[in-house]
Amino acid sequence: MSNVMSDGLNRPVPFPAFVLDKICLGMPAKTYAKSLLTKTNAIYAAILAIGLPTLAYRYWKGMGAVSNLSQTNPWGIWVGINIICGIALAAGGYTVAATVYVFGLEQYRPILRPAILTGFLGYVCAISGLIVELGQPWRLPYQLFLTPGTTAVMFEVGMCAFAYLIVLGLEMLPAGLEWLGLARARRIMGTLTIGIVVLGITLSTLHQASLGAFFLMVPGKLHPLWYSPYLHVFFFISSISAGIGMIIFESTVSRRAFRDELDPEAPVDLDALQLGLAKGGAVVLFATFFIRLQGLVVSGRWDLLFTGWGAWFALELVGFILLPSLLFAFAVRTQSVTLTRAAAVMAVLGVVLNRINVSLIAYNWNVPASDRYVPSMGEIVLTILLLTCGVLAFRWIVNRMPVLREHPDWRGSH
Amino acid sequence: MTLNRRNLFRIAGAAGAATVAGRALSSAMTPGAPKTTANAVLVDTTRCVGCRACEAACSEANQLAEPEKPGDAAVFASRRRTGPTSFTVVNKSTEKSPNGEDRYAKMQCMHCVSPACASGCVVGALEKTPAGPVVYHAGQCIGCRYCMIACPFSVPKYEYAKAAPLVKKCTFCAERQGQGLPPACTEACPSGALLFGKRADLLEEARTRIYQNPTRYTHEIYGEDEAGGTSWLYLSDVPFTSLALPGEIEKRSYPELAEGALSAVPLVATLWPPLLMGLYTFSKRRHDVAEEGNGRKGDGHE
Amino acid sequence: MHANDLLSPHATKAIEYVLAVSYLLLFIPFWRFVNGATAAESLAFSWFQVPANVHLHRGHSWAKTFGGAVAVGLDDFAHKMIGPLDSVQFPAVGSALRQGQKAFSVVADGKSFDVLSPVDGNVVALNEFVRAHPSDAVRDPYGTGWLLKVEPRWLTANLKNLVSGDGARRFLDAAAQVLAGRMSPELGIVLQDGGTPVHGIAREIDPANWDSLVRTSLKGE
């Protein structure tokens, strides 16, 4: 294999220069380094400066030194937020893929790649959260290669998520291949698309649901208003609204933050796409509200609605599920993109709230107050660090690969 | 428990029965233990004097740190829990017995018949052996701590302070049982509160005791149906929750609760692809028809 | 567990059924509400023509597909902005067009305006009738007022960058809003009564610099 690659104009370029060119956005290295000195990057640098030593400390001294995890509270925000919320918010990948490929709504294609990238990085964040949170993370491959615990919900989550990460990587691969100019490989990938997408949707359904199935085994520890034998169904359905909300949010931010990446020849009517997503969001959230009500009926614990916990439950259900549904509906009706974006934020917050309730707040609700879990500074720092790394990776990729725009050599071919 | 001839025979009989039971272990390691032939312990809390010899014996047999405040009754002031270096603890009841006595109960892993921890373990590090003990294979554990979440009795404890932490809990002295010995705690108990034997036999014994002394015990065997049945069975004359035994335990096995979700997995994996491909074909057909209507051939854009 | 403390199983099941039926009954009006965004409030609909199967470029040119070729022209909004045309400067038959680059230019009141092409392709025909009678193009800007016929090269990709239907309506809405904002009060009042703008709006808005107003629109900014 020669160490000569070709650039976008099919001229041969020696390999080391090729790498530098791709990384430094075509600028000389010094200029690129200078361009990194911005205010936002200063904030990111500060987060990294605090977070990375904390990460090292966590591995050196053990998780007890860094976290408030205890014998009563074995799971904290590393599981509750990074993993359980992170995977829900990465659901935009499979929802938009389904919209474009399975339902054939071609107009959503411009937001497909950013959605899949968001999904991919969401899962990478979740898995890095796992590596921080496991007691012996170097043994992570054991479940696949050594001693699979096939009766475990976590085994199903692990296998599905692992397979889905591969699927997401394959869905991102065409963008990478276009960036590197590898035409033949790119063509081969194109033929596999629908199969990969269908596999991705199936795997997503399975593990989004299984995240909820974790808590099926703890009726004594989870507050009856949140516990349901349908937890896995709730988690799957809420992942769809989380995905929709997240995509609306991410496309709004990307449009502003990455203006230079957009193709001026190919303006995308983002407003129309977001209104279309809002329609989906309205309907899904409407159904979610009623299915949660059914869960309440099945539990038979109406009496608990009149407690403090009941008020909190009602806030989650009415304020963060029914309300965004109505806001989305109204936004579509009046073609208001601002309202759509507000409703999207509420929908995402609603899913995050539900996940945090199930895994942290309503979990161990009956334990004495002195034993309740509160995240430590170390845990918060590492959670923020992992999220920041995800954002930085998103930025790095979007600034280089054809995600927000089409590669000129591959116009119209995806 | 007073040491007279009658009690001596009782202890000897129990010890002898336990030894015989221990020797009759099957060597085949089939997954899951049948309810009848697995070993179990009957804890008669009306006989427990709170001497905590069981704690001492346990820490010695497992080479753990000494139990806290040995011989000091002040240890019972607050509710005690097991920990990474204390596999069993004795708690004093918050209520007095009907005849005004203090009651005590030892707490440890219940070695459930169908354990939540074993079914939930992603690497199968926790395993229910046919002999009865739920054993922990430290070499497989990745430290996800789901066993701690799943266990309704909140038994497994974690070594948060270590660099390579492990889950710690009562082993039911599986190694000793393998050599035909009873668990260390049952051997050390001076008052005969702990009776080691086959689960079916111990249930019979417990029912017999209740039948023969109807006013002496609450008419319930804790562990008979809790979590679908546990290997550690308790008799008492005070509420079990006052003895720090968890109250809100389902009367069915906990792995059953996840059955619905897990059995849906092969269904979704089988049905989703044809459904989705059907939708894809339908929408593609509509797209192609629409393009034909525009007078254009299909562009083959994939 | 004590799942049915307050209610017997029968009552619970009954409530489940009632809730499910209520949901189904509520779903129908909800669906209709969500899908019922009316087009009547659109300004553009009343001011400018927006046909159904026409794809607009942000520079106010349009493309309509028929058979294997594409017809290209100038949209109603641009026509009405510019006013009566003196002539159209066509490209040569066989010349190549690129989406977003100049396709042709129109001349009005001595001033020449470049119009951007909506598609990539080669020019195969020119509208000789419009060449002879340029001021008539505005009568049917999307039909007999077509200007070029083009053999497209990347049609599917090009169409992704054009708007049609609702998107076109929104696009022209926005352009009309800008116009409405710049009109003098008297003219504005007349128009808000429902009257249609006069031909050559740009000249009415800003007689001195109307050409730069037009050029801004035609560049699609």
Side-chain angles (χ1 to χ4, degrees), chain C residues 72 88 90 125-133 137 143-149:
Chain C
V72 167
V88 178
F90 289 98
L126 312 170
N127 189 337
E128 297 300 334
F129 176 77
V130 169
R131 197 206 283 270
H133 308 95
T144 57
W146 64 272
L147 296 174
L148 309 172
K149 287 218 173 106

Side-chain angles (χ1 to χ4, degrees), chain C residues 177-189:
Chain C
Q177 297 281 9
V178 169
L179 271 197
R182 303 195 52 172
M183 283 180 180
S184 61
E186 308 91 66
L187 207 57
I189 290 169

Side-chain angles (χ1 to χ4, degrees), chain A residues 90-312:
Chain A
Y94 85 87
T95 43
V96 178
T99 309
V100 172
Y101 288 107
V102 175
F103 298 112
L105 298 174
E106 280 295 322
Q107 63 266 36
Y108 291 94
R109 208 176 270 270
I111 56 170
L112 178 63
R113 276 194 179 168
I116 296 199
L117 180 61
T118 309
F120 180 68
L121 291 175
Y123 276 79
V124 169
C125 269
I127 291 179
S128 52
L130 194 62
I131 296 191
V132 168
E133 112 86 23
L134 284 180
Q136 306 207 31
W138 49 91
R139 290 185 176 180
L140 189 53
Y142 280 24
Q143 62 188 287
L144 178 60
F145 297 110
L146 209 68
T147 53
T150 49
T151 55
V153 170
M154 192 172 292
F155 176 73
E156 199 269 315
V157 174
M159 292 304 97
C160 270
F162 175 62
Y164 186 60
L165 195 66
I166 296 177
V167 165
L168 278 173
L170 289 174
E171 286 180 345
M172 277 307 302
L173 196 55
L177 293 174
E178 289 170 17
W179 175 54
L180 294 173
L182 298 167
R184 183 144 171 269
R186 169 64 183 89
R187 263 196 302 274
I188 296 174
M189 282 305 307
T191 58
L192 301 172
T193 309
I194 185 65
I196 294 174
V197 165
V198 166
L199 190 60
I201 298 171
T202 307
L203 290 171
S204 289
T205 310
L206 289 173
H207 67 256
Q208 294 284 0
S210 297
L211 286 181
F214 276 145
F215 297 95
L216 290 175
M217 276 218 267
V218 293
K221 301 184 186 179
L222 186 56
H223 190 279
L225 284 176
W226 278 268
Y227 180 82
S228 167
Y230 303 128
L231 268 173
H232 52 303
V233 178
F234 296 166
F235 268 54
F236 168 58
I237 292 188
S238 64
S239 77
I240 301 177
S241 46
I244 291 176
M246 201 51 196
I247 293 306
I248 294 175
F249 174 73
E250 172 269 313
S251 57
T252 309
V253 169
S254 289
R255 179 143 279 240
R256 287 201 201 123
F258 300 109
R259 212 169 332 194
D260 298 335
E261 280 303 308
L262 300 172
D263 186 351
E265 298 293 317
V268 174
D269 190 358
L270 190 64
D271 292 1
L273 298 183
Q274 290 183 342
L275 286 169
L277 288 173
K279 221 189 261 190
V283 173
V284 170
L285 283 167
F286 188 74
T288 308
F289 176 73
F290 276 90
I291 211 174
R292 292 289 301 274
L293 271 187
Q294 286 285 20
L296 178 62
V297 170
V298 165
S299 77
R301 301 303 308 267
W302 301 99
D303 54 320
L304 293 176
L305 279 178
F306 303 104
T307 63
W309 285 104
W312 186 240

